[in-house]
Amino acid sequence: MSRLSRPGAWYLFDYGMVISTEPTPADWRALHRVTGLDLQPPGSSYWARRRDFDAGTVDPEQYWSGVLGRAPDQKELRKLEALDAAQWSHLNPNTLAVLDTLRQEGASLALLSNMPAAMSRRYTAEAAWPRYFARLYFSGQLGMIKPDPRIFGHVATDLKARPADIVFIDDNALNIATAKEQGFQTVLHTGTIDLRAELARLAR
């Protein structure tokens, strides 16, 4: 069986839609029951300031006030934050199997995700998947967000790695394009990808 990793390389994974899968209809219904709003459509208030939330320029109270059109009380805010974390917590078994193989091979693993700071701290404290990674980088904690070239430069510097020695796996084509411009090796993670085959190809 072909190796998936090569010595000296870092494997830098995105979280949403790579390690995790998209929220289910039941997840969106749970938010609907609490908010009275259909938040799933791309034009909904959930998405309107999501990038600011991921970037750390608004805090949870400011974000959810924008979603609801009013300020939530603390109990409601805790409920909304829990539901939001839950709906992005469904994991992709195919990616986990690849991570297991990479870990068995002794590969160096890191994560770079656009994610609100509070959600990233919740996952780091409570979820099992962060244990795969030697380094975790979250936009909300860094104050930088993909595809800003600065965040890729920060990661490469912190890893003490040449960009050519970093394989970046992400589902967003713009993030991939920016990483490639910075000299990273890249894998665009689509719904039909054979990630194992793609990494084996790059390892040759």
Side-chain angles (χ1 to χ4, degrees), residues 12 137 151-163 166 184:
L12 180 66
Y137 304 97
I151 202 168
F152 295 103
H154 171 83
V155 169
T157 298
D158 192 67
L159 294 177
K160 298 180 174 60
R162 298 184 311 151
I166 301 173
F184 288 49

Side-chain angles (χ1 to χ4, degrees), residues 166-182:
I166 301 173
V167 179
F168 176 57
I169 302 101
D170 195 289
D171 69 302
N172 184 295
L174 185 55
N175 296 342
I176 288 289
T178 304
K180 190 174 291 186
E181 289 170 359
Q182 301 300 305

